Amino acid sequence: MRFILAFLLCCVIPVAHAAVVTQTVRPGIPASADYRVGDRDKPAVLLIHGFLQTREFHTVATLADGLHDAGYTVLSPTLSLNIPARAQSLPCEAIHRHSLDDDVDEISRWVQWLKAQGHRSVVLLGHSFGSLQLLAYLSRQPDPVVKGYLGASLVEAQIGEADRGALIAQLEDRVRRKQRDLVSQPLSFCRKYTSAPADLLSYLRWDQPRTLAALRQAPVETRLIMGDSDNLLGHDWMKALRHIRTKMVVVKGANHFMDGEHEFDLLARALELLGQFNNKVAR
Amino acid sequence: MKPFAAFSIKQIALAIVAVLMVMVSLVGGLAAWQTRSVSASLERNNRDAAQSEFTAAAERLYRRAATQGEQLARWDETRQQLVQPEYYSYWRDQRVYESGMLASRHARAGLYDMQGALLAPSPSRRSLPARLPASATPFQPVAWLASENGTLAYYQSFPVFSDEQHRALLGHALIRVDFMAELLERESFHFIDTQSLALPLKPGETLAPADLFTRIRLTARTDPNQVRFQSIMSRTMLALFVLLAVTAVLGFAVYNRLLVRPLKQLSHEINAMQQGNDAPGIGRAPAMHVVELETIRRSLHEYQAQLRELHGSLEHQNREFRSQARQDALTGCYNRRAYEEDWARFQEDIAHTPQGVAFLLFDCDRFKTINDTYGHAKGDRVLTIIADALVMALRANDRLYRLGGDEFATFLARTTPAQAKQIAQRCQSLIEAAAFGDVGIREPVGISIGIAFCGPGHIERIAELPKQADIAMYTAKQPGRNRIALYGEDTERAAQTLVASRETSALFQALATPGMIEMHYQPIHALPGRKVDYYEALARIRYHGELIMPGAFLPVIASRRLETEFDLAVLNQVDADLTSGRLPEGVGVSINLSAQTLSRAEVVSLLLELSRHIARHPLMLEITETSLITQIAEVSTYLDLLRTVHFRIAMDDFGTGYSPLRYLADLPVDVVKLDISLISKLGQDNRAAKVVADFARMMGDAGYSLVAEGVETEAVLARVEALGIEHVQGYLLGRPIPLDQLAGTATATPTGAACPV
């Protein structure tokens, strides 16, 4: 089935440069992506949206348009979050039945899908929590076609004021005792994130050190594009990133979403960094 | 034609008010009916509006439910539950509400798998069907209504697909809405009485949404504007009716005061005027407030004043007329009518206050002769002088009445016979002293006075006084009397007066009773030969078996002026005798008539009827020339007329009257009957006999046919015959005999030879 779909897409691509592609990421969970074919000489960009958002989120959508316009093949999926054909951003208060592992698995599937489309060079580009999810993917033996990582407004899995260790312990205890009652806990930008304990636990484990480590230890070239006016970041996050000497571009005045005039800054920096990746791949 | 009943103006006003009230009631009723009609129309509109309102509200609810269902079906979290239903109850009871998918607390959501089985049973309080109805098609939304424990539930199911192309069915979403609660909470109803909303469904019965509108039971809310409208209309009609009623009552009162009362007053005044009641209070109605009525009142008062004035004038004239009617135009004294009225009243009055009463009857002596001699003008003047003298002679309060001709009368109250005689003598003295010579009367003029008296003790005999005075009058007129006679004292000839009284009664009875007058016929012989040519019809009155001769009743006829009545009676009797056929045929009849009666049409008419006998019996009329022929021209005309029907006209008793030659000259006389006083002169051998003889010859020469009356001796008869007088009449040749004897004689001597009497 996958092959048939891929074949069909290949047939369509030359004619239509943009298409929604679907694949079943888990049994009963179809997921879709916006696939725009660009220059085959350039790496394909797997663009991952932010936390609980979709590929329609304006920062991501604008970026996808810009990249494709610049000749890049862009595949921007909407992570299913274990919802069949999810098309809407998922509210914080919804019942979250997805884990970071599920997200990474889906990313892996889309990388494979690109690979199946004949793309031999893939650059991962994430926005916000998508950058973290891509880091999580990179931390698990990513496919060799993945040549680079661009993280825009990379955030850590924040949990508010709670003690992450105690919370993780508590959740692990629940998981051990198979207590599946929903848990509501601040996570990332959600003040009340309702989720099953095991699923929540998968996100909580990605604390700042683990994130920084994954960034530092990524098997591919990593670059970050950060805004200096990003109020959603932890107060020491930028400091920590600098501390590990992460290669990043800071856009002055840009907030977390880099909207408004900073959308062009984000695109410009992204293209700039993609160009660098392309050159390296070419060399 | 039956006259219309008259109505009073008050009744008319009441009728108008009643009609007005009826009309107002009809208009009010019509308005009320119209109001009810409008109200019914409004109610219908309300019901329609309520139905429309309900339909619109229900459809909105349907649409909301459909929208929510579609949203629910497209919701990611719905699909999530269909594939991972572990936390379905949380989603169903909390998530769908906090997410805003179900905005109403009256709505519930449920999820069903592809086979239509509920994912998880619902709590009993919020139960949902365990399975979708079989009618729910897999790929189409389905809606239905159901009654559940007294609650009307609206269900809307939607298919949930896992792909945007709606090819992969995941399951079904169901929304249950507590229909009535949702409807009442979400909708504002202006026309529906929400308490009345009901959908009678049997338990377990389902209903398609479209059928709801035909099954729903609802009552339109009473439109407050309609109620207000009806209230306003009712109040307005009531107020209008009350206002009109009050206006009608006030109007009637004003109408009554301004029109009815014044008109009644005017009507009363007019009625009073009609009844002749012009009391001072009448005609003093106060001023009226209506100009026209005031004009009528003024006109009426002016008319009333004029009428009163006219009435006074008429009364005055009436008194004048009455006075004139009671007054004798010639003499100025009271006339016969006044006499009859006063005498009747006097008798009534005197019955209450008995007193001595004297009745005086005056009669002028020889007045007829004076009148004939000096003419009417002087005769009238004589009467005037006599009346004046009598009035002067009577007492101040005594009244003088002229009974007719020269006859006067008076009645004296509180008197005695001596006083009455004294007054009578004073009357005679004043008349004797009157200056008749001033009017050319040289002969002495006197009066005879008959007096009758009854004392206070015999006042019941007062009615006999006129008759007694009449008898006394006859006594007074007897020659040798002093011309004043008191009944009972001066009537020595009581027997005579009794006879006179009997003859008078006989005369009046004979005039009233046909047959009492009996005709005796005396033959008139033709000379020479002494053949009976005529019989002179001579009247007698048979009274109680006795014959009353003309010498007894003719004075009564003359004094009572009964000539016409008597002549008519004579003519009728002659007619009867002629008709009887007992008179010898060919022999004529000579009838005596007063010249006075010849001017009476009824006499002439009867004579013309008698003319039918002339063929068998030549008729001759003998006119007594001693009577006064006042209308000589008229008499002459009638005589001419009678001559045309072959009556012969004879001048009777020629030689005894005052102016026979004048009558011969003026009247168409054929025969002259020489009176016995002339014929008797022929028996003498003197100058008188010669004059008579010459006169007879002269008359014969003048063409008159002569009849010698009163021939009683052969010597006179020979003389008459020698003079050539054509006819002779007298006891010598025949006395008057009754018709019965005449018939016998005629049978015996049809030629009419002289027969002894």
Side-chain angles (χ1 to χ4, degrees):
Chain A
M1 179 69 185
R2 254 181 259 167
F3 293 107
I4 294 172
L5 186 60
F7 173 75
L8 288 173
L9 283 172
C10 290
C11 295
V12 170
I13 285 169
V15 180
H17 295 286
V20 174
V21 296
T22 304
Q23 65 171 324
T24 303
V25 294
R26 271 174 294 285
I29 307 294
S32 65
D34 195 4
Y35 178 57
R36 308 182 194 200
V37 179
D39 191 351
R40 286 272 177 185
D41 295 335
K42 292 182 179 178
V45 178
L46 177 60
L47 183 58
I48 302 299
H49 54 76
F51 192 51
L52 307 181
Q53 293 301 320
T54 67
R55 64 175 180 269
E56 304 299 332
F57 189 71
H58 65 89
T59 302
V60 176
T62 304
L63 193 56
D65 290 342
L67 292 174
H68 177 253
D69 290 343
Y72 288 94
T73 295
V74 179
L75 178 66
S76 58
T78 295
L79 298 179
S80 70
L81 305 181
N82 273 339
I83 295 174
R86 187 176 77 89
Q88 302 148 354
S89 59
L90 194 61
C92 295
E93 298 80 8
I95 302 167
H96 293 279
R97 294 301 315 283
H98 55 91
S99 65
L100 188 57
D101 297 332
D102 295 331
D103 301 336
V104 170
D105 183 62
E106 273 188 46
I107 291 170
S108 174
R109 286 178 179 274
W110 285 116
V111 170
Q112 291 303 317
W113 187 85
L114 280 173
K115 189 177 173 182
Q117 305 308 312
H119 295 286
R120 293 294 176 257
S121 176
V122 174
V123 175
L124 304 179
L125 175 53
H127 172 248
S128 188
F129 205 84
S131 301
L132 179 61
Q133 289 164 324
L134 286 173
L135 276 179
Y137 168 72
L138 288 175
S139 65
R140 295 185 189 176
Q141 296 178 341
D143 193 281
V145 297
V146 175
K147 303 301 182 186
Y149 166 82
L150 273 178
S153 301
L154 172 66
V155 294
E156 55 185 324
Q158 300 173 82
I159 58 169
E161 301 300 325
D163 181 350
R164 185 182 297 262
L167 181 58
I168 290 173
Q170 182 187 352
L171 291 174
E172 285 176 342
D173 180 59
R174 287 194 176 201
V175 170
R176 272 195 306 274
R177 289 191 284 148
K178 297 183 179 176
Q179 290 183 346
R180 296 190 57 80
D181 292 346
L182 291 171
V183 177
S184 289
Q185 172 65 37
L187 176 65
S188 187
F189 314 122
C190 293
R191 294 176 181 272
K192 182 187 176 187
Y193 181 83
T194 303
S195 177
D199 296 332
L200 178 60
L201 194 59
S202 68
Y203 289 104
L204 291 182
R205 282 178 176 144
W206 278 82
D207 57 2
Q208 189 177 93
R210 186 173 179 179
T211 305
L212 290 174
L215 185 62
R216 194 172 56 243
Q217 296 168 6
V220 297
E221 195 75 24
T222 60
R223 295 288 187 274
L224 296 181
I225 302 172
M226 304 298 283
D228 67 351
S229 297
D230 191 343
N231 297 324
L232 296 180
L233 303 175
H235 66 282
D236 58 347
W237 177 241
M238 286 297 286
K239 187 178 176 181
L241 288 176
R242 285 192 183 97
H243 181 71
I244 64 168
R245 296 182 181 180
T246 304
K247 293 177 182 175
M248 64 178 177
V249 177
V250 177
V251 179
K252 288 189 176 179
N255 61 14
H256 186 73
F257 302 105
M258 294 193 183
D259 49 6
E261 59 182 301
H262 299 297
E263 289 180 354
F264 301 105
D265 293 332
L266 172 63
L267 177 61
R269 298 295 182 268
L271 289 174
E272 182 182 344
L273 293 173
L274 284 173
Q276 291 175 9
F277 289 145
N278 195 23
N279 290 336
K280 284 185 179 179
V281 171
R283 281 195 299 266
Chain B
M1 184 174 176
K2 189 177 179 180
F4 288 107
F7 297 100
S8 72
I9 192 167
K10 196 170 189 175
Q11 289 172 321
I12 292 170
L14 283 172
I16 290 172
V17 169
V19 169
L20 182 64
M21 295 305 288
V22 168
M23 292 298 293
V24 169
S25 300
L26 287 176
V27 171
L30 182 62
W33 181 77
Q34 289 285 2
T35 304
R36 276 201 296 276
S37 177
V38 170
S39 298
S41 175
L42 290 174
E43 283 176 5
R44 279 196 302 277
N45 291 341
N46 265 355
R47 281 198 298 276
D48 294 344
Q51 189 69 38
S52 300
E53 188 175 45
F54 176 79
T55 302
E59 286 177 345
R60 279 195 294 276
L61 188 148
Y62 291 165
R63 282 197 296 273
R64 276 198 305 276
T67 302
Q68 287 181 348
E70 286 175 3
Q71 288 175 348
L72 193 68
R74 286 199 304 268
W75 194 28
D76 288 347
E77 294 180 43
T78 302
R79 292 195 301 275
Q80 178 195 40
Q81 293 304 317
L82 284 171
V83 294
Q84 292 183 319
E86 184 178 359
Y87 299 104
Y88 167 71
S89 59
Y90 178 81
W91 174 88
R92 179 195 66 205
D93 299 336
Q94 186 168 341
R95 183 57 196 148
V96 290
Y97 297 106
E98 71 179 21
S99 66
M101 275 297 151
L102 290 182
S104 171
R105 59 194 173 93
H106 302 297
R108 305 175 217 167
L111 295 177
Y112 293 80
D113 61 18
M114 286 187 289
Q115 287 72 39
L118 187 62
L119 289 187
S122 305
S124 60
R125 191 171 58 83
R126 302 170 65 87
S127 65
L128 289 171
R131 295 194 65 82
L132 289 177
S135 59
T137 56
F139 296 96
Q140 292 296 327
V142 176
W144 71 93
L145 288 156
S147 176
E148 295 174 352
N149 301 322
T151 303
L152 183 63
Y154 174 70
Y155 289 100
Q156 175 81 57
S157 74
F158 292 91
V160 180
F161 298 95
S162 63
D163 59 341
E164 292 183 354
Q165 292 76 27
H166 291 182
R167 292 172 185 155
L169 183 66
L170 269 182
H172 301 274
L174 178 70
I175 289 180
R176 178 190 185 280
V177 179
D178 186 345
F179 185 87
M180 289 300 179
E182 174 73 5
L183 200 67
L184 296 178
E185 185 173 299
R186 286 296 188 104
E187 300 290 342
S188 298
F189 292 103
H190 301 289
F191 299 101
I192 299 172
D193 179 7
T194 54
Q195 299 294 326
S196 68
L197 278 171
L199 180 66
L201 287 179
K202 297 172 185 173
E205 182 186 359
T206 60
L207 187 71
D211 296 335
L212 170 66
F213 307 119
T214 58
R215 296 280 298 274
I216 190 70
R217 289 181 182 172
L218 57 85
T219 303
R221 183 182 291 172
T222 305
D223 186 357
N225 289 330
Q226 179 188 343
V227 173
R228 194 175 168 199
F229 169 72
Q230 280 182 309
S231 174
I232 289 172
M233 281 302 293
S234 300
R235 284 203 302 271
T236 303
M237 291 306 299
L238 183 63
L240 183 64
F241 190 82
V242 169
L243 183 65
L244 278 172
V246 170
T247 304
V249 170
L250 289 177
F252 179 73
V254 171
Y255 178 85
N256 196 39
R257 184 169 183 79
L258 290 182
L259 289 178
V260 176
R261 205 182 293 174
L263 280 174
K264 265 189 175 178
Q265 205 160 2
L266 290 173
S267 176
H268 288 157
E269 289 187 10
I270 290 169
N271 285 338
M273 287 170 63
Q274 283 180 338
Q275 293 164 6
N277 183 3
D278 57 348
I282 301 298
R284 292 292 179 267
M288 296 173 182
H289 301 290
V290 178
V291 174
E292 288 78 3
L293 289 178
E294 177 62 12
T295 303
I296 292 173
R297 185 189 71 86
R298 286 182 179 170
S299 300
L300 181 65
H301 289 174
E302 288 171 6
Y303 171 73
Q304 195 173 1
Q306 291 174 0
L307 198 63
R308 193 175 291 131
E309 187 180 345
L310 182 63
H311 187 253
S313 173
L314 284 175
E315 275 204 339
H316 175 71
Q317 288 184 7
N318 193 35
R319 282 195 299 272
E320 286 286 319
F321 290 147
R322 191 164 177 272
S323 173
Q324 288 176 7
R326 287 167 52 84
Q327 193 174 26
D328 180 58
L330 177 64
T331 61
C333 63
Y334 293 96
N335 58 15
R336 187 174 188 91
R337 179 177 177 179
Y339 158 75
E340 289 171 353
E341 292 174 357
D342 292 353
W343 177 239
R345 188 164 58 247
F346 181 78
Q347 290 180 82
E348 291 175 4
D349 296 343
I350 211 71
H352 304 297
T353 54
Q355 52 191 278
V357 176
F359 192 97
L360 275 66
L361 197 59
F362 306 92
D363 191 83
C364 180
D365 298 335
R366 298 188 305 276
F367 178 72
K368 188 188 297 180
T369 305
I370 294 170
N371 214 4
D372 291 342
T373 305
Y374 294 99
H376 290 297
K378 289 191 176 176
D380 292 345
R381 189 73 187 105
V382 167
L383 289 176
T384 304
I385 293 170
I386 289 172
D388 292 343
L390 291 177
V391 168
M392 281 191 294
L394 295 177
R395 298 175 302 186
N397 294 327
D398 297 335
R399 291 181 174 181
L400 179 66
Y401 304 94
R402 185 186 175 201
L403 302 184
D406 57 339
E407 192 175 53
F408 296 86
T410 186
F411 36 90
L412 309 175
R414 294 186 179 85
T415 187
T416 62
Q419 288 173 340
K421 271 195 171 181
Q422 191 176 358
I423 290 171
Q425 287 168 355
R426 190 164 65 232
C427 290
Q428 276 193 335
S429 299
L430 285 177
I431 286 173
E432 286 171 1
F436 292 102
D438 293 346
V439 294
I441 305 298
R442 286 173 293 279
E443 290 81 358
V445 178
I447 59 170
S448 299
I449 303 173
I451 303 171
F453 177 82
C454 72
H458 302 88
I459 207 68
E460 71 278 1
R461 296 195 314 216
I462 189 172
E464 298 175 4
L465 290 183
K467 183 178 173 184
Q468 292 172 352
D470 193 32
I471 293 169
M473 169 63 73
Y474 276 99
T475 303
K477 278 190 175 292
Q478 294 301 315
R481 294 285 178 175
N482 62 357
R483 294 180 295 160
I484 294 176
L486 175 62
Y487 180 82
E489 182 178 307
D490 297 318
T491 52
E492 305 91 335
R493 296 171 60 192
Q496 184 180 348
T497 57
L498 283 174
V499 172
S501 176
R502 184 176 66 88
E503 289 166 348
T504 302
S505 298
L507 175 64
F508 280 103
Q509 191 173 345
L511 292 178
T513 310
M516 275 189 70
I517 294 176
E518 187 177 305
M519 302 309 298
H520 288 211
Y521 294 91
Q522 184 178 24
I524 300 173
H525 298 265
L527 292 178
R530 299 182 185 181
K531 173 180 174 278
V532 176
D533 263 0
Y534 288 90
Y535 287 103
E536 180 178 2
L538 299 170
R540 310 283 188 267
I541 294 176
R542 187 169 294 278
Y543 185 66
H544 297 305
E546 296 179 9
L547 279 180
I548 299 176
M549 301 306 284
F553 59 77
L554 284 179
V556 180
I557 290 172
S559 65
R560 302 288 180 173
R561 302 290 189 266
L562 296 172
E563 291 89 350
T564 301
E565 290 79 0
F566 183 76
D567 286 349
L568 285 172
V570 167
L571 289 173
N572 281 320
Q573 188 56 47
V574 170
D575 188 20
D577 291 349
L578 289 172
T579 304
S580 69
R582 287 184 289 176
L583 279 167
E585 188 173 354
V587 179
V589 175
S590 179
I591 307 166
N592 288 285
L593 287 180
S594 165
Q596 290 284 25
T597 63
L598 281 174
S599 61
R600 305 297 295 266
E602 59 266 38
V603 175
V604 176
S605 177
L606 188 52
L607 286 171
L608 290 174
E609 283 188 30
L610 273 179
S611 65
R612 71 180 189 277
H613 300 290
I614 286 178
R616 296 178 74 243
H617 302 284
L619 297 178
M620 184 165 65
L621 301 180
E622 296 184 16
I623 300 169
T624 308
E625 59 83 26
T626 52
S627 60
L628 182 66
I629 302 176
T630 55
Q631 296 169 309
I632 195 162
E634 193 174 356
V635 171
S636 175
T637 302
Y638 283 128
L639 291 177
D640 284 335
L641 174 63
L642 293 171
R643 288 183 73 203
T644 60
V645 293
H646 308 296
F647 274 98
R648 300 195 76 195
I649 309 301
M651 180 64 69
D652 195 15
D653 297 335
F654 191 84
T656 59
Y658 292 96
S659 51
L661 288 176
R662 177 190 161 200
Y663 289 163
L664 284 178
D666 292 338
L667 296 176
V669 175
D670 301 306
V671 179
V672 174
K673 293 183 76 174
L674 300 173
D675 187 68
I676 190 171
S677 59
L678 290 179
I679 294 302
S680 62
K681 296 289 191 285
L682 291 176
Q684 301 171 4
D685 187 14
N686 53 17
R687 192 174 57 183
K690 188 174 184 345
V691 169
V692 171
D694 291 342
F695 179 74
R697 276 193 291 273
M698 181 186 72
M699 292 300 288
D701 294 342
Y704 293 102
S705 178
L706 298 179
V707 178
E709 292 183 308
V711 177
E712 297 179 348
T713 63
E714 286 291 343
V716 172
L717 177 59
R719 183 67 178 159
V720 167
E721 200 166 6
L723 286 174
I725 294 174
E726 297 166 349
H727 288 88
V728 62
Q729 177 183 6
Y731 285 180
L732 177 65
L733 298 178
R735 288 177 176 268
I737 54 174
L739 180 61
D740 296 340
Q741 294 180 20
L742 174 65
T745 304
T747 305
T749 55
T751 55
C755 56
V757 177

